[in-house]
Amino acid sequence: MAEYSSLLSDLSENITNEDLEQLKSACKEDIPEDQSNNITSSKEWFSYLEKNDKLAQDNLSYIEHIFEISRRPDLLTRVIEYRTKVLKISEDDEIDTKLTRIPSAKKYKGNIIRQPSEDEIIKLAPPPKKA
């Protein structure tokens, strides 16, 4: 648990007030506006996410997704390092949960993404030649 607290503390130190507004905006579908207005620090934001089952020491996929869409690769990298070193979940193990980061993508979990075979490829006719 100490590593998790350390991670959140480290992330909080690297989130400015401007960043916080961007992060809250990225999860506006999950945080009602009146409650979002009451969140004034990154620690309060993390606390809200924990209380609403969006964040836990062994479930970081939501904030990974938020950092990803908020274009904060530095924060995302810190979360991924925690996941791989502390939770011992590697990128290979993570493949199963990649699609579940986005709630609407859960229905696709279990479907294997693969290259289509030659028979499945739709062949298009060449464009008409100009006269």
Side-chain angles (χ1 to χ4, degrees):
M1 185 79 174
E3 293 96 344
Y4 175 68
S5 297
S6 177
L7 170 70
L8 294 186
S9 178
D10 182 41
L11 292 172
S12 292
E13 290 172 15
N14 289 284
I15 296 174
T16 65
N17 286 338
E18 187 178 315
D19 294 333
L20 179 62
E21 290 307 312
Q22 184 178 358
L23 296 171
K24 290 191 314 186
S25 175
C27 51
K28 63 185 172 198
E29 293 176 6
D30 297 307
I31 303 177
E33 188 176 348
D34 60 324
Q35 293 182 7
S36 180
N37 293 336
N38 294 332
I39 298 172
T40 58
S41 72
S42 53
K43 289 182 181 185
E44 289 175 7
W45 183 65
F46 288 129
S47 178
Y48 179 89
L49 295 177
E50 287 174 326
K51 287 176 187 166
N52 289 276
D53 299 322
K54 297 286 182 192
L55 176 64
Q57 74 180 46
D58 61 346
N59 181 10
L60 305 163
S61 60
Y62 185 80
I63 62 169
E64 285 182 39
H65 174 67
I66 295 300
F67 293 156
E68 202 169 28
I69 64 175
S70 299
R71 294 183 177 86
R72 287 302 305 265
D74 56 322
L75 300 177
L76 178 60
T77 301
R78 292 166 198 245
V79 174
I80 291 171
E81 284 175 2
Y82 168 86
R83 180 172 34 83
T84 55
K85 290 178 182 170
V86 177
L87 299 179
K88 308 273 190 264
I89 300 173
S90 68
E91 280 300 314
D92 292 339
D93 297 332
E94 179 66 2
I95 289 173
D96 282 345
T97 60
K98 284 259 187 238
L99 288 175
T100 60
R101 288 183 187 170
I102 305 168
S104 62
K106 285 185 180 180
K107 61 186 171 192
Y108 299 108
K109 190 173 189 281
N111 293 342
I112 298 172
I113 299 172
R114 60 176 176 72
Q115 269 309 101
S117 69
E118 282 296 316
D119 295 336
E120 295 171 314
I121 296 175
I122 299 172
K123 299 205 185 319
L124 301 175
K129 294 185 179 181
K130 294 183 180 178

